[in-house]
PDB file of all heavy atoms in Angstrom:
ATOM      1  N   PHE A 110      -5.278  13.665 -18.465  1.00 92.00           N
ATOM      2  CA  PHE A 110      -5.239  13.934 -17.024  1.00 92.00           C
ATOM      3  C   PHE A 110      -3.813  14.036 -16.502  1.00 92.00           C
ATOM      4  O   PHE A 110      -3.598  14.478 -15.371  1.00 92.00           O
ATOM      5  CB  PHE A 110      -5.971  12.829 -16.255  1.00 92.00           C
ATOM      6  CG  PHE A 110      -7.382  12.604 -16.715  1.00 92.00           C
ATOM      7  CD1 PHE A 110      -7.688  11.556 -17.575  1.00 92.00           C
ATOM      8  CD2 PHE A 110      -8.410  13.434 -16.307  1.00 92.00           C
ATOM      9  CE1 PHE A 110      -8.981  11.338 -18.019  1.00 92.00           C
ATOM     10  CE2 PHE A 110      -9.713  13.230 -16.741  1.00 92.00           C
ATOM     11  CZ  PHE A 110      -9.999  12.184 -17.605  1.00 92.00           C
ATOM     12  N   ALA A 111      -2.843  13.589 -17.316  1.00 94.00           N
ATOM     13  CA  ALA A 111      -1.456  13.506 -16.868  1.00 94.00           C
ATOM     14  C   ALA A 111      -0.893  14.827 -16.354  1.00 94.00           C
ATOM     15  O   ALA A 111      -0.234  14.852 -15.304  1.00 94.00           O
ATOM     16  CB  ALA A 111      -0.582  12.944 -17.986  1.00 94.00           C
ATOM     17  N   PRO A 112      -1.122  15.964 -17.027  1.00 94.00           N
ATOM     18  CA  PRO A 112      -0.551  17.219 -16.519  1.00 94.00           C
ATOM     19  C   PRO A 112      -1.034  17.563 -15.110  1.00 94.00           C
ATOM     20  O   PRO A 112      -0.231  17.994 -14.264  1.00 94.00           O
ATOM     21  CB  PRO A 112      -1.013  18.254 -17.542  1.00 94.00           C
ATOM     22  CG  PRO A 112      -1.215  17.472 -18.806  1.00 94.00           C
ATOM     23  CD  PRO A 112      -1.763  16.161 -18.355  1.00 94.00           C
ATOM     24  N   SER A 113      -2.323  17.374 -14.849  1.00 95.00           N
ATOM     25  CA  SER A 113      -2.860  17.692 -13.518  1.00 95.00           C
ATOM     26  C   SER A 113      -2.331  16.727 -12.462  1.00 95.00           C
ATOM     27  O   SER A 113      -2.031  17.131 -11.332  1.00 95.00           O
ATOM     28  CB  SER A 113      -4.393  17.647 -13.549  1.00 95.00           C
ATOM     29  OG  SER A 113      -4.919  18.634 -14.410  1.00 95.00           O
ATOM     30  N   ILE A 114      -2.231  15.452 -12.825  1.00 95.00           N
ATOM     31  CA  ILE A 114      -1.711  14.459 -11.888  1.00 95.00           C
ATOM     32  C   ILE A 114      -0.253  14.755 -11.556  1.00 95.00           C
ATOM     33  O   ILE A 114       0.170  14.700 -10.399  1.00 95.00           O
ATOM     34  CB  ILE A 114      -1.870  13.041 -12.469  1.00 95.00           C
ATOM     35  CG1 ILE A 114      -3.353  12.678 -12.572  1.00 95.00           C
ATOM     36  CG2 ILE A 114      -1.127  12.015 -11.609  1.00 95.00           C
ATOM     37  CD1 ILE A 114      -3.612  11.359 -13.293  1.00 95.00           C
ATOM     38  N   ALA A 115       0.525  15.066 -12.592  1.00 95.00           N
ATOM     39  CA  ALA A 115       1.935  15.374 -12.386  1.00 95.00           C
ATOM     40  C   ALA A 115       2.115  16.649 -11.568  1.00 95.00           C
ATOM     41  O   ALA A 115       3.009  16.740 -10.717  1.00 95.00           O
ATOM     42  CB  ALA A 115       2.638  15.501 -13.736  1.00 95.00           C
ATOM     43  N   GLU A 116       1.256  17.639 -11.804  1.00 96.00           N
ATOM     44  CA  GLU A 116       1.366  18.906 -11.075  1.00 96.00           C
ATOM     45  C   GLU A 116       1.088  18.705  -9.590  1.00 96.00           C
ATOM     46  O   GLU A 116       1.794  19.266  -8.738  1.00 96.00           O
ATOM     47  CB  GLU A 116       0.396  19.930 -11.660  1.00 96.00           C
ATOM     48  CG  GLU A 116       0.482  21.296 -10.993  1.00 96.00           C
ATOM     49  CD  GLU A 116      -0.483  22.310 -11.600  1.00 96.00           C
ATOM     50  OE1 GLU A 116      -1.268  21.929 -12.503  1.00 96.00           O
ATOM     51  OE2 GLU A 116      -0.448  23.470 -11.176  1.00 96.00           O
ATOM     52  N   GLU A 117       0.061  17.929  -9.272  1.00 96.00           N
ATOM     53  CA  GLU A 117      -0.233  17.656  -7.859  1.00 96.00           C
ATOM     54  C   GLU A 117       0.906  16.857  -7.234  1.00 96.00           C
ATOM     55  O   GLU A 117       1.214  17.016  -6.050  1.00 96.00           O
ATOM     56  CB  GLU A 117      -1.552  16.890  -7.729  1.00 96.00           C
ATOM     57  CG  GLU A 117      -1.933  16.626  -6.274  1.00 96.00           C
ATOM     58  CD  GLU A 117      -3.233  15.844  -6.132  1.00 96.00           C
ATOM     59  OE1 GLU A 117      -3.903  15.600  -7.161  1.00 96.00           O
ATOM     60  OE2 GLU A 117      -3.562  15.460  -4.991  1.00 96.00           O
ATOM     61  N   ASN A 118       1.499  15.958  -8.016  1.00 96.00           N
ATOM     62  CA  ASN A 118       2.654  15.163  -7.586  1.00 96.00           C
ATOM     63  C   ASN A 118       2.363  14.382  -6.304  1.00 96.00           C
ATOM     64  O   ASN A 118       3.183  14.354  -5.369  1.00 96.00           O
ATOM     65  CB  ASN A 118       3.887  16.065  -7.395  1.00 96.00           C
ATOM     66  CG  ASN A 118       5.171  15.263  -7.317  1.00 96.00           C
ATOM     67  OD1 ASN A 118       5.255  14.160  -7.845  1.00 96.00           O
ATOM     68  ND2 ASN A 118       6.168  15.808  -6.652  1.00 96.00           N
ATOM     69  N   ASN A 119       1.204  13.766  -6.284  1.00 98.00           N
ATOM     70  CA  ASN A 119       0.809  12.951  -5.131  1.00 98.00           C
ATOM     71  C   ASN A 119       0.179  11.654  -5.641  1.00 98.00           C
ATOM     72  O   ASN A 119      -0.921  11.302  -5.272  1.00 98.00           O
ATOM     73  CB  ASN A 119      -0.172  13.739  -4.259  1.00 98.00           C
ATOM     74  CG  ASN A 119      -0.403  13.077  -2.911  1.00 98.00           C
ATOM     75  OD1 ASN A 119       0.322  12.169  -2.503  1.00 98.00           O
ATOM     76  ND2 ASN A 119      -1.443  13.508  -2.209  1.00 98.00           N
ATOM     77  N   TYR A 120       0.923  10.979  -6.527  1.00 98.00           N
ATOM     78  CA  TYR A 120       0.390   9.777  -7.160  1.00 98.00           C
ATOM     79  C   TYR A 120       1.384   8.628  -7.136  1.00 98.00           C
ATOM     80  O   TYR A 120       2.589   8.830  -7.045  1.00 98.00           O
ATOM     81  CB  TYR A 120       0.001  10.064  -8.609  1.00 98.00           C
ATOM     82  CG  TYR A 120       1.165  10.141  -9.577  1.00 98.00           C
ATOM     83  CD1 TYR A 120       1.568   9.016 -10.308  1.00 98.00           C
ATOM     84  CD2 TYR A 120       1.864  11.333  -9.771  1.00 98.00           C
ATOM     85  CE1 TYR A 120       2.652   9.082 -11.180  1.00 98.00           C
ATOM     86  CE2 TYR A 120       2.928  11.401 -10.645  1.00 98.00           C
ATOM     87  CZ  TYR A 120       3.323  10.275 -11.356  1.00 98.00           C
ATOM     88  OH  TYR A 120       4.383  10.337 -12.219  1.00 98.00           O
ATOM     89  N   GLU A 121       0.832   7.435  -7.204  1.00 98.00           N
ATOM     90  CA  GLU A 121       1.586   6.198  -7.393  1.00 98.00           C
ATOM     91  C   GLU A 121       1.056   5.556  -8.663  1.00 98.00           C
ATOM     92  O   GLU A 121      -0.150   5.309  -8.779  1.00 98.00           O
ATOM     93  CB  GLU A 121       1.388   5.244  -6.216  1.00 98.00           C
ATOM     94  CG  GLU A 121       2.293   4.032  -6.230  1.00 98.00           C
ATOM     95  CD  GLU A 121       3.628   4.300  -5.554  1.00 98.00           C
ATOM     96  OE1 GLU A 121       3.631   5.021  -4.523  1.00 98.00           O
ATOM     97  OE2 GLU A 121       4.650   3.801  -6.046  1.00 98.00           O
ATOM     98  N   MET A 122       1.937   5.327  -9.639  1.00 98.00           N
ATOM     99  CA  MET A 122       1.529   4.646 -10.864  1.00 98.00           C
ATOM    100  C   MET A 122       2.179   3.269 -10.866  1.00 98.00           C
ATOM    101  O   MET A 122       3.410   3.148 -10.949  1.00 98.00           O
ATOM    102  CB  MET A 122       1.913   5.449 -12.096  1.00 98.00           C
ATOM    103  CG  MET A 122       1.405   4.818 -13.390  1.00 98.00           C
ATOM    104  SD  MET A 122       1.313   6.037 -14.709  1.00 98.00           S
ATOM    105  CE  MET A 122       1.248   4.986 -16.152  1.00 98.00           C
ATOM    106  N   VAL A 123       1.334   2.252 -10.769  1.00 98.00           N
ATOM    107  CA  VAL A 123       1.793   0.879 -10.538  1.00 98.00           C
ATOM    108  C   VAL A 123       1.716   0.070 -11.825  1.00 98.00           C
ATOM    109  O   VAL A 123       0.644  -0.032 -12.441  1.00 98.00           O
ATOM    110  CB  VAL A 123       0.941   0.206  -9.441  1.00 98.00           C
ATOM    111  CG1 VAL A 123       1.527  -1.161  -9.091  1.00 98.00           C
ATOM    112  CG2 VAL A 123       0.856   1.080  -8.199  1.00 98.00           C
ATOM    113  N   PHE A 124       2.828  -0.516 -12.221  1.00 98.00           N
ATOM    114  CA  PHE A 124       2.845  -1.411 -13.367  1.00 98.00           C
ATOM    115  C   PHE A 124       2.487  -2.804 -12.887  1.00 98.00           C
ATOM    116  O   PHE A 124       3.172  -3.389 -12.047  1.00 98.00           O
ATOM    117  CB  PHE A 124       4.211  -1.435 -14.037  1.00 98.00           C
ATOM    118  CG  PHE A 124       4.272  -2.353 -15.233  1.00 98.00           C
ATOM    119  CD1 PHE A 124       3.725  -1.962 -16.444  1.00 98.00           C
ATOM    120  CD2 PHE A 124       4.847  -3.606 -15.140  1.00 98.00           C
ATOM    121  CE1 PHE A 124       3.762  -2.818 -17.555  1.00 98.00           C
ATOM    122  CE2 PHE A 124       4.898  -4.461 -16.227  1.00 98.00           C
ATOM    123  CZ  PHE A 124       4.349  -4.066 -17.436  1.00 98.00           C
ATOM    124  N   VAL A 125       1.393  -3.350 -13.407  1.00 98.00           N
ATOM    125  CA  VAL A 125       0.931  -4.685 -13.012  1.00 98.00           C
ATOM    126  C   VAL A 125       1.515  -5.719 -13.973  1.00 98.00           C
ATOM    127  O   VAL A 125       1.287  -5.645 -15.180  1.00 98.00           O
ATOM    128  CB  VAL A 125      -0.609  -4.757 -13.005  1.00 98.00           C
ATOM    129  CG1 VAL A 125      -1.062  -6.155 -12.605  1.00 98.00           C
ATOM    130  CG2 VAL A 125      -1.186  -3.711 -12.056  1.00 98.00           C
ATOM    131  N   ALA A 126       2.251  -6.675 -13.433  1.00 98.00           N
ATOM    132  CA  ALA A 126       2.918  -7.684 -14.253  1.00 98.00           C
ATOM    133  C   ALA A 126       2.418  -9.077 -13.907  1.00 98.00           C
ATOM    134  O   ALA A 126       2.348  -9.447 -12.732  1.00 98.00           O
ATOM    135  CB  ALA A 126       4.430  -7.611 -14.045  1.00 98.00           C
ATOM    136  N   ASN A 127       2.067  -9.828 -14.942  1.00 97.00           N
ATOM    137  CA  ASN A 127       1.753 -11.249 -14.791  1.00 97.00           C
ATOM    138  C   ASN A 127       2.716 -11.995 -15.704  1.00 97.00           C
ATOM    139  O   ASN A 127       2.553 -12.020 -16.921  1.00 97.00           O
ATOM    140  CB  ASN A 127       0.302 -11.536 -15.170  1.00 97.00           C
ATOM    141  CG  ASN A 127      -0.058 -13.010 -14.990  1.00 97.00           C
ATOM    142  OD1 ASN A 127       0.811 -13.854 -14.767  1.00 97.00           O
ATOM    143  ND2 ASN A 127      -1.342 -13.322 -15.088  1.00 97.00           N
TER     144      ASN A 127
END
Side-chain angles (χ1 to χ4, degrees):
F110 305 100
S113 296
I114 293 173
E116 182 179 3
E117 182 181 354
N118 195 26
N119 192 13
Y120 77 94
E121 189 87 38
M122 184 159 162
V123 187
F124 180 77
V125 179
N127 181 350

